Amino acid sequence: MCMASIAYNAGASLDFLNKRTTIKPFLVNLSCVAGNYSSVSFATAQRWNSIQWPIRGVGVRSLSKSHSLPRVFKCFSVSLEQSGAINKGDKDGIFEERVIVLVIGGGGREHALCYALQRSPSCDAVFCAPGNAGIAAQGNATCIPDLDIFDSSAVISFCRTWGVGLVVVGPEAPLVAGLVNDLVNAGIPTFGPSSEAAVLEGSKDFMKKLCDKYGIPTAKYQTFTDPHAAKQYIQEQGAPIVIKADGLAAGKGVVVAMTLEEAYEAVDSMLVKGVFGSAGCRVIVEEFLEGEEASFFALVDGENAIPLESAQDHKRVGDGDTGPNTGGMGAYSPAPVLTEELKSLVMSSIIIPTVKGMSAEGCKFIGVLYAGLMIEKKSGLPKLIEYNVRFGDPECQVLMVRLESDLAQVLLAACRGELSGVSLSWSPGSAMVVVLASQGYPGTYEKGTVIRNLEEAELIAPSVKIFHAGTTIDSDGNFLAVGGRVLGVTAMGKDIEEARERAYQVVECINWPEGFYRRDIGWRSLPHKQLTTRI
């Protein structure tokens, strides 16, 4: 079903409906409209017959045009009478060029994607499944919490019902499970790799073997399933050394062991105690690289790749890059360590060989290649640490606030194999995100603590956006923390210093005693702190 939409302004939507002669259904997103939905009447709309809207647990309901809108809906479709020829001459091209997007996921990365897609000129409406409280409250998408993203038939049915023309899959788990395979087979354009291609992230052993075969620079390694053999190899190599779970471990399956004892303990926790389940039944023991870490993102259409802007994140939980690794405690863009020369080298020596190699292996990659890099201290050259097959979190937040191109059209071009003619536009200056996490993260933490002053804090400084990653709303309208990483305070500025100042101004205004954050995000990029550290 093909749909167009009018967003956010109910009165303007009615005027628009009265003037159009199209027979295409309209999808009207009122998730950001303030006030009483039931006070918006459709009695003055003349060219439509009925409206439909989804009700949780009930399905789709209809009512006639003489009724007012119910309070329970978020989005609805309007079925129009045929009252003449379809108007193909509209200046805005709304009927022929528009797209409705479904974002899969519910974290900070998905909030940032919804935010960018909502700003895309060609994007009519954005759904997010399951979404989160912040996405819904800020009106960046219509959240569909009851849609099971691991049930491909349910996702396909939803897309067909609501005229979804592009699906963007955020997290790695549904990618590895094969959601993209099923959607593409159903004829639904989907941005993300197939399950066969997603193994680049799903198995670090696969990624390392691909590097060996196609000459992609990476750290020396060995793979083990036997803890005794792993420990013997570790003893031979010495510390520091890196131990990684082979499979998906939510960003926590990497231990940088500075002593042999720490390395042995990491091996036992994965191979003997099974702390990561099947993801840790095989481990990679890897050479420790000294230098500066950076994140490099490229959009890939199966044969072609174009780079995104550079970004750099902070994985360790504590100030000064101390403590255990996390999913990311903050990030900034651009990353000064990635010079134009290095970007070109990364594309030629790492990204392009990977794209060509995956194609040669019979599993073309379509989606985002997220290369975790180490810029080696001794050589100054980049080596691949690991691949993720989706936008990084929290790097996605700083990239999406800086992106000025129409994200929906760029991602559609990737789905169609048409990236070779695409160029991206970015805002000047810098962006930074500071992550607020629950006390105890990345270990155990309390859920259900109240976060106050969010709306007021976001107004403290200009060019600030608070992305939600792990929140819900209680019956009194309070935001509650229900995740490890909960908020991503993202700010833009003319340079990294201004972006940093704005982000921390906002962070300090948020009232959440049970939360914590790093106070040194971006320290590597600040002129007076250009130091090389061990990562």
Side-chain angles (χ1 to χ4, degrees):
M1 180 168 60
C2 184
M3 290 187 177
S5 80
I6 315 301
Y8 312 131
N9 188 321
S13 300
L14 299 182
D15 291 341
F16 192 93
L17 289 177
N18 286 335
K19 295 173 184 177
R20 297 301 176 180
T21 57
T22 180
I23 60 173
K24 294 184 179 182
F26 276 79
L27 211 164
V28 183
N29 184 346
L30 293 184
S31 58
C32 305
V33 174
N36 189 334
Y37 292 160
S38 63
S39 66
V40 182
S41 174
F42 275 72
T44 58
Q46 299 161 359
R47 294 189 182 275
W48 55 274
N49 296 330
S50 64
I51 66 174
Q52 294 181 317
W53 72 97
I55 299 178
R56 187 182 306 175
V58 176
V60 175
R61 286 279 184 88
S62 300
L63 83 167
S64 70
K65 64 183 179 182
S66 61
H67 287 77
S68 298
L69 298 181
R71 292 180 59 84
V72 293
F73 81 99
K74 286 289 186 183
C75 279
F76 60 90
S77 65
V78 179
S79 176
L80 303 176
E81 297 175 353
Q82 183 174 3
S83 57
I86 297 176
N87 186 351
K88 293 186 177 181
D90 283 62
K91 292 182 295 183
D92 55 12
I94 192 169
F95 300 135
E96 282 70 38
E97 303 294 332
R98 315 294 288 178
V99 65
I100 294 166
V101 184
L102 170 63
V103 175
I104 300 293
R109 167 184 50 231
E110 288 75 38
H111 193 172
L113 289 169
C114 289
Y115 170 75
L117 287 163
Q118 184 195 46
R119 292 160 52 218
S120 295
S122 68
C123 187
D124 269 334
V126 185
F127 291 103
C128 189
N132 65 42
I135 294 172
Q138 296 178 17
N140 296 127
T142 297
C143 294
I144 315 294
D146 294 336
L147 181 59
D148 184 355
I149 63 175
F150 291 97
D151 183 347
S152 295
S153 61
V155 177
I156 291 168
S157 176
F158 179 88
C159 291
R160 288 176 173 164
T161 299
W162 293 99
V164 171
L166 172 65
V167 177
V168 181
V169 184
E172 61 272 23
L175 292 171
V176 174
L179 177 61
V180 172
N181 302 55
D182 297 332
L183 289 169
V184 171
N185 288 338
I188 299 169
T190 305
F191 182 77
S194 65
S195 59
E196 294 82 8
V199 74
L200 263 178
E201 178 172 358
S203 171
K204 295 178 180 63
D205 181 60
F206 174 89
M207 185 273 288
K208 285 288 194 177
K209 288 176 178 174
L210 188 84
C211 290
D212 287 346
K213 186 172 183 179
Y214 293 97
I216 300 165
T218 188
K220 182 176 70 173
Y221 77 102
Q222 289 290 331
T223 301
F224 298 93
T225 56
D226 174 44
H228 177 74
K231 291 177 183 177
Q232 185 174 354
Y233 178 77
I234 290 168
Q235 187 175 30
E236 293 169 358
Q237 298 301 310
I241 199 163
V242 181
I243 318 298
K244 296 180 177 180
D246 178 55
L248 300 177
K252 303 168 189 171
V254 178
V255 175
V256 180
M258 304 308 293
T259 66
L260 292 177
E261 289 71 23
E262 289 177 350
Y264 298 155
E265 183 179 344
V267 168
D268 284 338
S269 68
M270 296 179 196
L271 292 181
V272 179
K273 299 177 183 177
V275 293
F276 296 120
S278 60
C281 66
R282 182 166 51 183
V283 300
I284 287 81
V285 180
E286 190 176 84
E287 170 192 11
F288 173 82
L289 298 177
E290 186 177 3
E292 190 165 348
E293 195 171 354
S295 302
F296 190 95
F297 298 87
L299 302 182
V300 182
D301 68 4
E303 296 290 347
N304 307 293
I306 58 173
L308 300 180
E309 261 288 11
S310 63
Q312 191 165 9
D313 75 336
H314 295 261
K315 290 293 186 190
R316 297 294 190 99
V317 72
D319 289 352
D321 293 320
T322 57
N325 277 327
T326 70
M329 294 299 295
Y332 53 92
S333 173
V337 67
L338 279 172
T339 63
E340 292 301 318
E341 293 76 15
L342 272 179
K343 289 180 188 177
S344 178
L345 182 58
V346 171
M347 287 296 293
S348 63
S349 67
I350 296 176
I351 300 297
I352 297 301
T354 299
V355 173
K356 300 301 183 185
M358 291 295 285
S359 181
E361 295 296 314
C363 45
K364 283 189 177 183
F365 188 95
I366 296 173
V368 176
L369 267 182
Y370 164 15
L373 304 174
M374 182 67 75
I375 313 303
E376 272 202 291
K377 179 181 178 181
K378 60 183 179 181
S379 68
L381 299 176
K383 283 190 175 180
L384 178 65
I385 301 173
E386 63 183 19
Y387 269 129
N388 293 325
V389 298
R390 33 66 183 184
F391 286 101
D393 187 344
E395 296 97 330
C396 187
Q397 287 84 314
V398 290
L399 292 174
M400 290 303 105
V401 297
R402 292 193 60 210
L403 182 67
E404 294 183 339
S405 300
D406 187 321
L407 180 62
Q409 291 303 309
V410 171
L411 300 187
L412 278 172
C415 295
R416 296 166 180 161
E418 299 172 354
L419 278 181
S420 59
V422 172
S423 60
L424 299 176
S425 176
W426 302 90
S427 67
S430 299
M432 179 181 288
V433 56
V434 178
V435 170
L436 278 74
S438 298
Q439 290 284 358
Y441 175 80
T444 57
Y445 51 84
E446 182 183 357
K447 294 184 179 181
T449 56
V450 179
I451 307 169
R452 294 183 172 87
N453 212 39
L454 281 179
E455 292 183 3
E456 295 82 355
E458 200 167 29
L459 300 175
I460 291 293
S463 302
V464 171
K465 175 73 174 178
I466 298 177
F467 293 111
H468 288 236
T471 62
T472 190
I473 295 181
D474 67 13
S475 57
D476 295 323
N478 298 310
F479 282 105
L480 305 180
V482 292
R485 293 185 298 164
V486 176
L487 299 169
V489 176
T490 308
M492 294 178 63
K494 66 180 183 293
D495 51 31
I496 195 65
E497 289 92 338
E498 184 173 68
R500 185 178 190 276
E501 181 181 357
R502 288 174 174 175
Y504 277 108
Q505 274 184 318
V506 174
V507 166
E508 290 163 8
C509 290
I510 295 172
N511 183 2
W512 183 31
E514 295 81 8
F516 78 99
Y517 56 92
R518 279 186 57 165
R519 299 176 182 273
D520 64 345
I521 301 301
W523 67 266
R524 289 191 195 88
S525 65
L526 299 177
H528 62 285
K529 290 187 176 180
Q530 284 292 351
L531 304 174
T532 301
T533 61
R534 292 176 179 267
I535 299 178

